[in-house]
Amino acid sequence: MEKETRTTRSIIARTQRLEEMRAALLNMLEDTEEARRDAEAERNKIQTIITNFSDGLLVFNPNGRLDVINPHAEKIFGIQAEDALGLTKEELVRFPTMMASLKILNEKEDVFRREVLIQETFVAELTKIQIRLGRTPMGIMVIFHDITREKEIERLKTEFVSLTAHQLRTPLSAIKWILRALSEGDVGELEAKQKDMLEKAYNSNERMIDLINDLLNVTKIEEGRYLYQPVLSHITDVVNVVVKDYIELAKRKDIVFKVQKPLRKLPRVLIDKEKISLAIQNLIDNAIKYTPRKGTVTVSVVGSSKEVKVSVQDSGMGIPKAQQNRVFGKFFRATNAQTVDTEGSGLGLYLVKNIVEAHDGKVDFISTAQKGTTFTITLPVKEEVGEFLKKF
Ligand code: ADP
């Protein structure tokens, strides 16, 4: 009897323990189920965002295979997800619409933004982002934002400016010759005062012609019609010719104008002399314009076997720090510059940058307000003439 009672108690205790374990297990199961539901809800949320994302989206996994393509990207490239998923970039080349984007994606940088023409009537802004979890690379994400409309508006604007500039150039040229004939006395002798006024009109007209020419150059750059004729040249020869035109102007402003040339002969560079001259002219022109009387402007040429540099240093008003990031933008004029020179167009440095970059070079500057500015053009020494010419 005693033994029986003990056995019964032990069974009851074990049953109770089992019951507790079952309850604990059930709890755990419930927790797992809840976690699974949460994870699924999260996945659905992400899937919904990707599906409804109004930009095209591609995600490549760390092995370089396409992991995600959203419906918008399918539409942009005119392909089906099931045909593209799992393919590498090299394999995706089979879709002609993807070719231009894949070429850009092969560039090394982790994050960048580029314009890409996907189809005749579709231009996108491509953003490449390297995804990382902590420090581990998780693949790359590529976003395609439709900018076709913006590009079209830009094109129409450029076309309008180009047309207007052309129309303005003809009457301005006519005015130029008439003013010159008048001031040279072709239609009768003039008094000094009359001559002086004509001179002013002539100079204003010249400034307007310069502005129109700048505008035409800008429109040509934007329409891809700015043609380069590169020849192997000594940069010092180009600088010598340009500098000559500014000696008189600097003297009139009481500016000490110095030129420092390298002691040794530099290697030749493949350049369009006319365009590079225009770029250097713009820098010297600015240096003299934005430097007060009795200041200094120094043009120097240095180089190595790899590159040549032309610097224009001045002791002028400088560019305010807060505005320095906009210097190469179209129509940019710093606030301090506007007070001393009301006529600038803000197109000069935009042209300089475009010309120099078309030569695979770069232009940069350092500037301190009220102390001075140095602009430097760096051009690569190219030996592969044939290879370089393909670019132009
Ligand atoms: P512009 O001289 O016709 O205004 P640029 O494109 O040549 O146009 O120059 C853009 C602006 O950059 C100028 O208006 C001026 O504010 C600033 N800038 C350029 N060069 C200098 C310089 N050497 N010193 C000070 N400011 C400069």
Side-chain angles (χ1 to χ4, degrees):
M1 182 68 184
E2 174 68 14
K3 193 176 166 210
E4 217 170 88
T5 323
R6 234 186 300 136
T7 316
T8 317
R9 253 193 268 129
S10 139
I11 289 173
I12 290 171
R14 211 179 309 150
T15 315
Q16 212 167 11
R17 267 207 310 280
L18 278 173
E19 193 54 46
E20 278 165 20
M21 273 164 75
R22 198 180 75 90
L25 269 173
L26 269 176
N27 267 344
M28 274 165 70
L29 215 66
E30 239 169 63
D31 286 353
T32 318
E33 179 60 20
E34 202 177 311
R36 198 190 59 77
R37 271 202 306 270
D38 283 354
E40 196 172 301
E42 205 56 40
R43 212 178 30 241
N44 285 343
K45 208 157 77 189
I46 293 170
Q47 193 58 46
T48 314
I49 293 172
I50 291 174
T51 310
N52 290 291
F53 197 42
S54 61
D55 286 345
L57 177 82
L58 303 180
V59 179
F60 289 90
N61 66 20
N63 299 325
R65 294 190 179 275
L66 187 65
D67 232 7
V68 177
I69 171 166
N70 75 342
H72 205 81
E74 286 181 283
K75 213 161 94 195
I76 291 175
F77 295 110
I79 59 178
Q80 301 288 318
E82 57 266 32
D83 297 333
L85 284 171
L87 299 186
T88 62
K89 277 186 259 157
E90 292 69 31
E91 290 164 343
L92 284 168
V93 173
R94 74 170 75 140
F95 303 109
T97 46
M98 294 197 91
M99 220 116 80
S101 312
L102 294 167
K103 216 156 140 196
I104 295 176
L105 287 178
N106 281 336
E107 291 177 25
K108 288 266 171 315
E109 295 152 77
D110 269 6
V111 177
F112 62 68
R113 227 171 231 180
R114 292 269 195 297
E115 241 175 65
V116 54
L117 181 71
I118 292 178
Q119 310 213 31
E120 194 64 18
T121 51
F122 188 88
V123 190
E125 184 183 60
L126 176 160
T127 309
K128 172 188 167 188
I129 303 159
Q130 181 87 44
I131 339 172
R132 290 177 200 278
L133 190 63
R135 300 183 126 218
T136 323
M138 299 292 289
I140 56 171
M141 177 160 87
V142 195
I143 298 167
F144 296 86
H145 180 64
D146 184 358
I147 52 164
T148 314
R149 197 176 133 72
E150 285 93 323
K151 291 305 289 178
E152 180 59 11
I153 293 171
E154 217 175 273
R155 192 189 64 76
L156 289 173
K157 255 184 357 199
T158 309
E159 204 176 275
F160 171 74
V161 174
S162 166
L163 207 82
T164 317
H166 267 116
Q167 301 280 1
L168 284 171
R169 203 154 67 158
T170 320
L172 286 174
S173 296
I175 293 172
K176 175 186 170 116
W177 298 117
I178 291 168
L179 291 175
R180 173 162 285 178
L182 278 175
S183 76
E184 284 177 354
D186 288 5
V187 281
E189 274 309 304
L190 297 175
E191 287 173 21
K193 216 169 170 183
Q194 291 170 323
K195 240 181 164 164
D196 188 48
M197 278 183 109
L198 273 180
E199 189 77 16
K200 283 192 181 123
Y202 183 84
N203 288 341
S204 296
N205 193 58
E206 282 289 277
R207 272 204 301 274
M208 211 132 58
I209 292 175
D210 282 349
L211 171 63
I212 298 290
N213 284 338
D214 277 357
L215 275 174
L216 279 174
N217 282 335
V218 166
T219 55
K220 276 189 201 148
I221 283 173
E222 292 182 346
E223 289 172 351
R225 292 186 294 113
Y226 203 46
L227 299 179
Y228 293 86
Q229 289 169 335
V231 273
L232 272 173
S233 330
H234 284 294
I235 195 74
T236 347
D237 296 345
V238 178
V239 171
N240 282 342
V241 175
V242 174
V243 157
K244 270 200 203 118
D245 287 342
Y246 288 93
I247 296 174
E248 189 51 40
L249 185 66
K251 208 188 269 170
R252 257 189 273 150
K253 235 187 129 178
D254 240 345
I255 281 176
V256 182
F257 188 43
K258 292 191 272 190
V259 184
Q260 292 173 342
K261 286 177 226 158
L263 296 175
R264 276 185 298 129
K265 223 176 170 107
L266 296 178
R268 289 184 302 172
V269 276
L270 191 61
I271 52 170
D272 181 317
K273 284 212 235 177
E274 195 193 311
K275 305 280 191 301
I276 288 292
S277 298
L278 183 65
I280 301 171
Q281 267 168 25
N282 268 306
L283 296 187
I284 303 180
D285 206 63
N286 281 345
I288 296 179
K289 198 158 62 175
Y290 300 119
T291 298
R293 300 191 84 79
K294 300 203 188 316
T296 311
V297 171
T298 309
V299 181
S300 42
V301 183
V302 291
S304 66
S305 58
K306 290 216 172 64
E307 55 188 28
V308 297
K309 285 176 191 276
V310 180
S311 299
V312 182
Q313 180 180 24
D314 65 56
S315 63
M317 61 170 56
I319 303 165
K321 190 136 203 102
Q323 296 174 12
Q324 288 188 2
N325 57 348
R326 290 163 43 213
V327 159
F328 294 108
K330 235 187 318 176
F331 302 114
F332 167 76
R333 303 215 62 219
T335 35
N336 59 347
Q338 289 177 33
T339 55
V340 300
D341 178 279
T342 47
E343 318 242 338
S345 66
L347 293 173
L349 290 177
Y350 177 79
L351 281 174
V352 173
K353 189 173 162 66
N354 274 282
I355 291 172
V356 173
E357 287 183 354
H359 285 80
D360 271 357
K362 66 177 174 48
V363 51
D364 38 39
F365 68 96
I366 38 170
S367 183
T368 313
Q370 274 136 41
K371 283 230 167 79
T373 306
T374 305
F375 274 92
T376 303
I377 291 176
T378 308
L379 296 169
V381 171
K382 296 272 180 181
E383 274 144 35
E384 290 290 322
V385 178
E387 189 51 36
F388 194 44
L389 274 174
K390 270 193 221 146
K391 228 179 88 64
F392 290 98

